[in-house]
Amino acid sequence: MSTRYPFTAVVGMDDLRLALLLNAVSPAVGGVLVRGEKGTAKSTAVRALAELLPEVPVVAGCRFSCDPDSPDPGCPDGPHGNAPDTSRPARMVELPVGASEDRLVGALDIEKALAEGVKAFEPGLLAAAHRGILYVDEVNLLHDHLIDLLLDAAAMGASHVEREGVSVRHAARFLLVGTMNPEEGELRPQLLDRFGLTVEVAASRDPGQRVEVVRRRLAFEDDPDAFAARWADEETALRERIVTARKLLPQVTLGDAVLLQIAATCAAFEVDGMRADIVMARAATALAAWAGRTEVTSEDVRQAALLALPHRRRRSPFDAPGLDEDKLDETLEQFKGDEPDGDPEPDGPGDGGPGGGGPDGGGIPPQGEGPDGPAPESAEAPESTPAPQGSGAGERGAVKAGEPFRTKVLSVPGLGEGAAGRRSRARTEHGRTTGSTRPRGALTKLHLAATVRAAAPHQRARGRSGPGLVVRRDDLRQATREGREGNLVLFAVDASGSMAARQRMSAVKGAVLSLLLDAYQRRDKVGLVTFRGRDAEVALPPTSSVDAAAARLEKLPTGGRTPLSAGLLKAHDVLRVERLRDPSRRPLLVVVTDGRATGGGADPVALAARAARLHAAEGTASVVVDCETGPVRLGLAGTLARELGGTAVTLDELRADSIAGLVRDVQAAGQTTQTAWRAA
């Protein structure tokens, strides 16, 4: 096995190291979600943690890692009886983003189950991770149904596999660690809540510390074994400190005053549910054990709140996670009781304590200090001055978006096969059963009735003599299911002078923000093209991060002429590239404009019509959000919608509670519009 980068050699990132160590001490804390920009050593730190965990005693030959002292009575490999025991290193199992459900939870041999009544079960990654670490890189890109299965197993400590009346259950208790780059999309709030702790990481802006990171990384790559040997003493000390803290953990007490502080803090920050209170209590207890104390202090509660509450404060995907530390301190002070005797400061990864060895106890060097000497102290980077919004003629500054609202559902016509979502009809792994087919590869969803019908005519020829059905591989039928898919919603937003009236642009931004929120809820990818002046630009390439789109929208200035054709052509280029990258994800083009075309050539109206017909020729589903206001309307947005082969809705009609109608299907509305236009 290749040598892993030592945990104690990681420079900085105290919060991340502390959160991981607390879960190593008490897996009941509920895991860690690590949020941060790319290239910040998130994965390196997580993988390094596995080397610090103590060896795991297991029943010899058990595929589910049963504890010899208390084997799982429902273990599929049991009962174990007098089976010998052994020990092995704690595992770190990685869950790939593209993993299937069978790979995660395990697979049943349906053919044997039907023909022989035998539960032939092949364990999945949840079984492999039992009593170890399950690591999910880019957890925000994992399919929702896999995240649901994963978090249910983490919460219940067991995995259940149900297939056509055949049921298998096995223990699955593990330390769950997920990493993600928020720029690539957010997790749903209910999924965020299932992670015990969260940590934000970012690369240091201090040149000296960055130099130390590079120096250590290069030294590791040149000779991994020699580099690891230089940190062996620190790793051993930290491993011993984890063992000591685990033994001390059952003796730690939570006083009534501390419990009141925890409850008051969660109430003050209006956290939903009770999970936050429980996680804070467990984290504070682990902090005390890590510091070598048997009583929890107010400082433990404060540190636990900073790790357990920020991601539970989000109310929408556009809210940045965070915590008002002044408010936290006021709440803790208000409900402060008598502090227990002893040092009130909890020991984090940079403090002394059992198994220590210098100021960083446990062998963790402060800000990168270690066998190679101290790294430079980190320094706060000065805040950068925002660039001006632009200096084009007639350009106006950015306008704040209006209040978002619930929008009508705009769907793509037909039946797709894209990624699971909640917008348009599609063939999916999960949904209502609509028929059956022969499986192309491994059978994942059995259509029982169709399988029995296929096998029934051949029973006499196959020599059936008993009650069991004689089933062959050719008899098996895969269930075809229909659900919903996520789409690529590409916004083409008119930011020209005709849209520049502040009240009007505020309403337009509010509408786009509402559509972005709808795209987030329906698991869409989004992109943003803007056009004004003489040209169009891709303000945001297609991404799963709707909050990134919202941030670009907020800073969008207005002014200049209306190059409508340029905006449509730029959108066409974006969709062409995305069809090559992800051909199964169907696009929905949303053009937000008043329909005016005043720039882009000698005949801007004709050029815009030709550009629109390019989208229509490729069958791109489209909708035009008509931003024209006032008593006199030219109806240009409706004309554009007809050229696109789509439909037009006004800002008022876009609201879900509008009296203009119910859910609008883009194709049906577009066909109606085209028919009326041709008849005219």
Side-chain angles (χ1 to χ4, degrees):
M1 190 175 74
S2 60
T3 303
R4 285 181 175 151
Y5 193 90
F7 188 87
T8 49
V10 174
V11 179
M13 298 198 298
D14 289 346
D15 286 344
L16 171 58
R17 293 187 294 163
L18 177 60
L20 292 172
L21 290 170
L22 292 181
N23 276 272
V25 171
S26 175
V29 169
V32 186
L33 176 64
V34 188
R35 298 164 47 92
E37 58 196 23
K38 54 186 176 292
T40 49
K42 302 186 297 292
S43 301
T44 298
V46 175
R47 293 187 176 102
L49 178 68
E51 298 295 321
L52 299 176
L53 299 182
E55 286 198 338
V56 178
V58 296
V59 174
C62 177
R63 296 175 298 165
F64 301 87
S65 301
C66 278
D67 186 344
D69 294 332
S70 56
D72 180 11
C75 176
D77 284 357
H80 295 297
N82 296 322
D85 58 273
T86 183
S87 62
R88 59 162 176 78
R91 292 175 182 157
M92 193 197 75
V93 177
E94 295 194 38
L95 173 62
V97 170
S100 65
E101 181 178 335
D102 285 347
R103 185 75 184 98
L104 177 63
V105 300
L108 284 169
D109 189 329
I110 300 297
E111 187 174 352
K112 283 189 176 181
L114 289 176
E116 305 172 22
V118 176
K119 293 182 182 179
F121 181 68
E122 184 65 30
L125 295 178
L126 292 181
H130 180 46
R131 305 176 69 198
I133 300 174
L134 182 60
Y135 172 49
V136 189
D137 193 14
E138 297 181 330
V139 64
N140 52 325
L141 303 183
L142 199 65
H143 286 174
D144 285 346
H145 72 282
L146 292 183
I147 295 179
D148 290 335
L149 291 169
L150 178 64
L151 295 179
D152 282 345
M156 299 173 62
S159 174
H160 295 264
V161 183
E162 303 282 347
R163 294 287 168 83
E164 307 298 339
V166 181
S167 176
V168 172
R169 174 209 167 276
H170 64 82
R173 291 183 294 275
F174 46 81
L175 166 55
L176 176 63
V177 182
T179 56
M180 60 175 282
N181 182 352
E183 293 179 357
E184 297 173 339
E186 287 287 355
L187 280 171
R188 288 179 285 159
Q190 59 267 42
L191 299 181
L192 281 172
D193 184 55
R194 299 294 287 272
F195 282 94
L197 310 179
T198 187
V199 178
E200 294 277 344
V201 296
S204 171
R205 298 298 184 258
D206 174 51
Q209 195 173 71
R210 295 174 75 97
V211 165
E212 184 63 22
V213 171
V214 174
R215 180 184 292 120
R216 292 188 185 183
R217 188 69 205 184
L218 293 178
F220 173 75
E221 291 176 356
D222 288 343
D223 191 342
D225 292 334
F227 183 84
R230 291 207 304 270
W231 293 87
D233 291 343
E234 284 75 10
E235 293 282 289
T236 300
L238 189 57
R239 189 178 296 110
E240 292 174 353
R241 185 175 177 184
I242 291 173
V243 173
T244 302
R246 281 187 173 187
K247 293 178 179 178
L248 184 62
L249 185 66
Q251 304 173 36
V252 178
T253 58
L254 274 169
D256 290 342
V258 169
L259 285 172
L260 181 60
Q261 280 188 317
I262 291 173
T265 300
C266 293
F269 285 99
E270 300 179 352
V271 176
D272 295 334
M274 295 297 298
R275 185 175 283 116
D277 303 62
I278 296 171
V279 170
M280 276 188 64
R282 289 172 173 166
T285 302
L287 279 162
W290 179 250
R293 289 183 271 101
T294 57
E295 291 190 60
V296 176
T297 68
S298 294
E299 188 59 30
D300 293 331
V301 176
R302 185 182 190 278
Q303 185 66 59
L306 292 174
L307 294 172
L309 297 187
H311 60 303
R312 295 182 167 91
R313 290 272 298 145
R314 303 189 74 196
R315 291 295 184 268
S316 82
F318 311 129
D319 294 336
L323 211 62
D324 184 341
E325 294 194 33
D326 290 337
K327 181 178 179 180
L328 173 61
D329 291 336
E330 291 175 5
T331 303
L332 293 175
E333 185 64 30
Q334 180 181 354
F335 291 90
K336 186 176 182 179
D338 295 332
E339 284 286 349
D341 294 335
D343 183 6
E345 298 293 328
D347 291 334
D351 302 306
D360 228 13
I364 301 183
Q367 295 297 329
E369 183 177 326
D372 300 323
E377 295 182 3
S378 61
E380 294 293 331
E383 294 185 4
S384 58
T385 304
Q389 292 291 346
S391 56
E395 184 175 287
R396 305 188 185 186
V399 178
K400 185 178 180 180
E403 192 68 24
F405 51 84
R406 190 166 63 91
T407 67
K408 284 186 165 83
V409 180
L410 302 171
S411 61
V412 177
L415 194 64
E417 295 183 346
R422 294 186 176 182
R423 183 172 296 279
S424 305
R425 294 174 54 229
R427 296 183 185 91
T428 60
E429 286 292 318
H430 299 270
R432 63 185 182 89
T433 301
T434 58
S436 64
T437 185
R438 290 180 181 271
R440 297 177 183 175
L443 181 71
T444 55
K445 299 291 182 183
L446 178 74
H447 194 297
L448 183 58
T451 298
V452 171
R453 285 197 301 268
H458 308 291
Q459 296 305 295
R460 181 175 297 176
R462 293 173 182 173
R464 174 185 171 186
S465 58
L469 191 67
V470 181
V471 180
R472 303 279 172 81
R473 176 69 187 175
D474 290 343
D475 301 328
L476 300 179
R477 294 294 182 268
Q478 175 86 21
T480 57
R481 303 192 176 192
E482 183 178 313
R484 294 280 169 176
E485 67 176 357
N487 299 112
L488 166 59
V489 182
L490 180 63
F491 295 93
V493 180
D494 184 351
S496 64
S498 64
M499 305 282 288
R502 288 191 170 270
Q503 185 175 2
R504 183 176 178 186
M505 196 60 195
S506 177
V508 169
K509 286 189 175 182
V512 178
L513 196 65
S514 303
L515 289 166
L516 284 171
L517 182 59
D518 182 66
Y520 166 78
Q521 294 168 341
R522 299 187 187 282
R523 319 292 185 263
D524 295 319
K525 288 180 69 174
V526 296
L528 180 62
V529 170
T530 63
F531 53 95
R532 64 187 180 91
R534 296 182 179 180
D535 204 359
E537 66 173 351
V538 181
L540 182 72
T543 174
S544 297
S545 178
V546 295
D547 52 343
R552 303 291 173 88
L553 179 71
E554 182 182 356
K555 299 175 182 178
L556 178 65
T558 58
R561 303 177 75 83
T562 311
L564 180 56
S565 60
L568 294 174
L569 290 174
K570 184 66 72 174
H572 182 268
D573 289 343
V574 172
L575 294 179
R576 177 178 56 81
V577 172
E578 285 302 308
R579 284 190 181 98
L580 296 175
R581 289 178 176 170
D582 190 358
S584 64
R585 188 180 289 269
R586 298 185 295 162
L588 172 62
L589 175 63
V590 179
V591 185
V592 185
T593 181
D594 57 10
R596 290 180 172 85
T598 60
D603 191 348
V605 175
L607 288 174
R610 288 174 57 187
R613 287 194 288 272
L614 281 176
H615 290 280
E618 295 184 354
T620 301
S622 58
V623 60
V624 178
V625 179
D626 185 358
C627 302
E628 194 173 27
T629 57
V632 179
R633 302 194 181 194
L634 302 178
L636 299 175
T639 303
L640 175 62
R642 290 194 291 271
E643 296 288 2
L644 286 166
T647 186
V649 295
T650 66
L651 290 175
D652 289 337
E653 291 171 341
L654 191 61
R655 294 178 178 271
D657 54 0
S658 166
I659 62 173
L662 299 175
V663 174
R664 230 178 243 239
D665 183 273
V666 174
Q667 182 186 43
Q671 289 175 344
T672 303
T673 304
Q674 281 186 317
T675 303
W677 178 50
R678 289 167 181 161

